Amino acid sequence: MKLLSLNISGLTQVQHGGKTVGTGIFKKPVEGAVRATRLTLEGDRQVDQRYHGGEYKAIYVYPQEHYAFWAETLGRDDLAPGQFGENFTTEGLIETEVHIGDQFRIGEVLVEVTQPRVPCFKLGIALGDPRLVKVFLKSERSGFYLRVLEEGMVQAGDSIERNFTHPERVTVQYIHHLYYQDSQNTAEIERVLSIKALSKEWSRQFREL
């Protein structure tokens, strides 16, 4: 497993619904090491703190393996690392194999998987197609967020080592499917609520179900 690209962004102003909104979704690869802190990567801009950033969403990961699917689906050959707003473009970390609560060592940093990504309208802006948000959600190729347990330096090319596999083995894909496609399954909802690593946001949403 490997970190192929480390991507960050500044603030970009875009037009949406007749208004100007700020976004940090336009991530670009950077060379050299970047410090991962408890809340973010240094130099990365997280504009809307209600939906991005914070302790449970400090870093967003997206698998490079999905790029071929989206290139075919969108009919594009220009998709580049960071295209989906991810901080880490990775090799070997797939939603069907990564569990909520798993811990990974990447460079000096120790991280923990906390939740899938839920797309907002800004993903449609980034890819030039507002319809993509629904397609992205339905695909269950969500990527996932990380909590930083140990701060440190990280850079493209670093190996990724799984230090801990959560015993419940609830994959990112499964919890995504449970919430959006199987929300009446109370026994499984109770099981996932026992996972302390699950983000507060998703824990609240499951309790509401």
Side-chain angles (χ1 to χ4, degrees):
M1 297 181 289
K2 187 175 182 180
L3 175 58
L4 298 179
S5 182
L6 189 155
N7 318 298
I8 64 175
S9 68
L11 171 67
T12 301
Q13 300 288 348
V14 297
Q15 295 296 314
H16 177 73
K19 298 180 179 180
T20 300
V21 296
T23 180
I25 198 169
F26 296 98
K27 308 295 185 191
K28 300 296 182 184
V30 295
E31 296 183 1
V34 173
R35 183 170 181 80
T37 70
R38 188 175 67 86
L39 300 179
T40 188
L41 292 172
E42 288 188 351
D44 190 42
R45 184 68 183 269
Q46 298 165 339
V47 176
D48 193 336
Q49 293 288 314
R50 294 174 299 172
Y51 306 113
H52 309 286
E55 180 181 359
Y56 289 91
K57 293 186 286 187
I59 297 170
Y60 174 49
V61 175
Y62 203 68
Q64 185 271 339
E65 289 86 344
H66 295 333
Y67 270 71
F69 169 84
W70 290 115
E72 181 176 354
T73 299
L74 301 174
R76 294 178 57 172
D77 60 4
D78 61 341
L79 300 180
Q83 194 80 54
F84 297 90
E86 76 269 22
N87 298 114
F88 289 174
T89 311
T90 58
E91 179 182 74
L93 295 179
I94 305 298
E95 293 89 345
T96 54
E97 300 173 2
V98 173
H99 313 92
I100 303 298
D102 282 3
Q103 296 179 10
F104 296 89
R105 176 73 65 179
I106 311 175
E108 299 177 351
V109 183
L110 181 65
V111 294
E112 180 179 67
V113 179
T114 60
Q115 68 164 76
R117 185 256 193 99
V118 179
C120 70
F121 70 91
K122 294 178 181 178
L123 179 63
I125 292 174
L127 287 160
D129 186 350
R131 299 170 298 176
L132 181 65
V133 175
K134 291 183 179 179
V135 178
F136 187 90
L137 193 66
K138 187 177 181 180
S139 76
E140 297 187 345
R141 293 171 168 83
S142 64
F144 50 90
Y145 282 102
L146 302 175
R147 178 185 183 188
V148 176
L149 301 179
E150 293 180 9
E151 298 181 350
M153 305 302 289
V154 62
Q155 63 182 337
D158 282 343
S159 63
I160 301 174
E161 299 179 3
R162 194 188 313 245
N163 283 17
F164 173 76
T165 300
H166 195 279
E168 289 291 343
R169 293 183 179 271
V170 173
T171 68
V172 172
Q173 184 275 336
Y174 180 79
I175 203 168
H176 187 284
H177 185 84
L178 180 66
Y179 185 79
Y180 289 104
Q181 305 294 332
D182 194 20
S183 61
Q184 302 301 311
N185 192 336
T186 55
E188 283 298 279
I189 289 174
E190 289 177 0
R191 182 165 78 96
V192 302
L193 282 171
S194 71
I195 302 173
K196 294 182 179 179
L198 183 65
S199 72
K200 292 180 179 179
E201 176 185 350
W202 273 63
S203 294
R204 175 183 55 77
Q205 291 174 168
F206 274 118
R207 283 195 300 270
E208 289 175 354
L209 289 178

